[in-house]
Amino acid sequence: MSPWSSRKSLPRTLTVTACATLLAALTSACSSTETTGKGGNEVELVSAGQLKTCTHLPYEPFQFREGKKVVGFDVDLVDLVAKDLGVKQEIVDTPFEGIQSGEDLNANKCDLAAAGMTITDVREKNVDFSAPYFEATQALITKKGADYKSLAGLKGKKLGVQESTTGAEYAKKNAKGVEQVTFEDVGLLLTAVQTGQVDAAINDNGVLYDYARKNKDTEVTAEFDTGEQYGIAVRTGNDALRKQIDETVKDAKADGRYDKIYKKWFGEEPK
């Protein structure tokens, strides 16, 4: 007899809330699907036929909207993973805090997170990262002609930072006597530089150089040697998907596809 066929078979301590939680867990488990990736990896996905990617828009040129479509370096790279799995990538735009905390992955909101995200010791406690796929460092952007070439030179001025980022952490430790103004995303951060709401902003160099190239009234005035590396995150313990990501990126670097994608978004091949 099924344990669900009689009310007497339910434990007295199993409350309505507990039943709802159990039902949600069972529903989630039943909705997952497996697919075989390149190299024979059996990867479990949240939804059939889709590789769901959590990211936080915009973060140009890694991921941003172009019309109705989300495009970018990270998007193209994860498309290669999706192709090896025989599925299509589906972008899920979500606040960055839920990404770096692992909350979105644990809740099955997505299969992986690709958000121009630096691998850090703190984040590695919440998620499992792929092998590094991009080298980065922090940089400073200002209005063209502004004489701010260091954090020390900004003393008494306003510095824009993006919340929950390594740039914000670096500024917290190194920008003494500077008023920090926090923004939810890099789009708002860079608009603040252009409009004079802040005197300068700190963020990853790839993003800032791309912005300055397209907005000639701004310039990158300094870089800080933070030696960062980006990784693609998966739920802790999701080794099959992590291995597939690593295999796909390794193959793409070996056969030239990685360099082609890099040049498409940064105007030159990686050094």
Side-chain angles (χ1 to χ4, degrees):
M1 180 181 291
S2 167
W4 300 104
S5 63
S6 170
R7 290 181 60 188
K8 291 182 180 180
S9 63
L10 285 172
R12 293 178 183 272
T13 57
L14 192 59
T15 64
V16 173
T17 302
C19 284
T21 302
L22 180 58
L23 182 60
L26 288 171
T27 302
S28 175
C30 291
S31 65
S32 64
T33 181
E34 284 192 356
T35 184
T36 303
K38 191 175 180 180
N41 293 318
E42 290 291 337
V43 177
E44 185 177 283
L45 300 177
V46 172
S47 300
Q50 294 182 336
L51 179 63
K52 289 191 173 182
T53 300
C54 273
T55 195
H56 182 52
L57 303 173
Y59 205 64
E60 193 171 351
F62 294 92
Q63 56 273 324
F64 62 101
R65 293 192 187 279
E66 195 172 75
K68 294 183 179 180
K69 192 176 180 181
V70 177
V71 298
F73 178 82
D74 281 359
V75 179
D76 283 357
L77 202 60
V78 176
D79 270 343
L80 299 183
V81 180
K83 183 179 180 180
D84 281 348
L85 289 172
V87 297
K88 296 290 186 181
Q89 180 180 188
E90 178 73 20
I91 303 292
V92 180
D93 185 18
T94 185
F96 189 69
E97 178 55 38
I99 293 174
Q100 71 157 4
S101 68
E103 188 176 316
D104 290 337
L105 290 166
N106 292 336
N108 278 345
K109 195 171 186 177
C110 47
D111 299 293
L112 60 81
M117 182 162 54
T118 298
I119 300 169
T120 68
D121 291 340
V122 173
R123 290 171 181 166
E124 284 189 311
K125 293 178 181 178
N126 303 320
V127 301
D128 284 348
F129 279 105
S130 68
Y133 71 92
F134 192 88
E135 306 288 331
T137 192
Q138 294 303 304
L140 195 69
I141 190 168
T142 69
K143 288 282 284 185
K144 193 93 169 182
D147 193 26
Y148 303 122
K149 294 182 172 60
S150 67
L151 294 179
L154 283 165
K155 189 173 182 178
K157 303 296 182 180
K158 292 182 178 180
L159 174 67
V161 301
Q162 183 184 353
E163 67 179 1
S164 302
T165 61
T166 51
E169 285 298 316
Y170 186 84
K172 184 178 179 181
K173 294 176 182 177
N174 297 282
K176 307 301 181 183
V178 177
E179 181 184 348
Q180 292 186 39
V181 183
T182 303
F183 297 89
E184 183 182 355
D185 62 54
V186 75
L188 296 173
L189 175 72
L190 293 171
T191 297
V193 173
Q194 273 204 319
T195 58
Q197 187 179 345
V198 296
D199 298 287
I202 188 171
N203 210 280
D204 291 6
N205 58 341
V207 173
L208 299 191
Y209 278 116
D210 181 74
Y211 186 82
R213 180 168 57 86
K214 297 173 182 176
N215 296 271
K216 302 301 183 182
D217 58 338
T218 65
E219 61 180 333
V220 177
T221 58
E223 284 194 23
F224 311 105
D225 187 15
T226 54
E228 298 176 44
Q229 295 178 312
Y230 291 170
I232 296 172
V234 299
R235 186 182 68 254
T236 299
N238 191 355
D239 293 337
L241 180 54
R242 179 182 55 78
K243 289 177 181 178
Q244 180 62 64
I245 294 167
D246 286 347
E247 286 180 20
T248 297
V249 175
K250 182 180 179 180
D251 288 347
K253 286 184 175 182
D255 64 24
R257 287 176 296 160
Y258 180 94
D259 288 357
K260 185 176 180 180
I261 293 171
Y262 193 104
K263 187 174 183 179
K264 172 183 176 181
W265 294 108
F266 296 100
E268 59 182 10
E269 292 187 357
K271 299 175 181 178

